[in-house]
Amino acid sequence: MDPEAVSKAFVEHYYSTFDANRGSLGSLYQETSMLTFEGQQIQGSQNIVAKLNSLPFQQCKHTITTVDCQPSGPAGGMIVFVSGSLQLAGEQHALKFSQVLTVP
């Protein structure tokens, strides 16, 4: 298994799902998952999806610039760093973003 290929496939799936229907991201989180967003910590699949659904925009399009990964822990997990831009519907300029994901 190539960690780089797995992380890129995961990132593609995550952001295409986020852009199409972020409410369906729940299966990618566990009850122990944590989302830290602008200093607020949200734990658990349902709470994370509720937070993502509460964001003040309906449509968006992520464009990924970088995906960097490294092994994490003895169980074969990975830490994935993603950066890119986020285009909101009706906005002229894209927003830059970065996100760190842990993939079990």
Side-chain angles (χ1 to χ4, degrees), residues 17 22 30 35 39-40 43 46 72 74 84 86-87 91 104:
T17 303
R22 61 189 126 145
Q30 301 171 355
L35 171 70
Q40 180 185 15
Q43 185 169 8
Q46 290 181 331
S72 171
L86 171 65
Q87 183 68 50
E91 295 291 326

Side-chain angles (χ1 to χ4, degrees), residues 25-99:
L25 287 172
S27 65
L28 299 180
Y29 291 100
Q30 301 171 355
E31 288 313 304
T32 56
S33 296
M34 176 80 66
L35 171 70
T36 303
F37 185 85
E38 296 179 343
Q40 180 185 15
Q41 291 184 328
I42 300 108
Q43 185 169 8
S45 177
Q46 290 181 331
N47 294 333
I48 291 169
V49 170
K51 174 61 178 178
L52 296 176
N53 281 331
S54 76
L55 295 174
F57 54 86
Q58 295 303 311
Q59 295 180 320
C60 65
K61 172 69 176 124
H62 287 86
T63 302
I64 306 304
T65 305
T66 63
V67 176
D68 296 311
C69 72
Q70 65 185 43
S72 171
M78 292 181 288
I79 296 175
V80 183
F81 178 77
V82 182
S83 67
S85 59
L86 171 65
Q87 183 68 50
L88 301 178
E91 295 291 326
Q92 183 176 1
H93 300 289
L95 304 168
K96 300 289 185 190
F97 81 94
S98 61
Q99 186 170 5

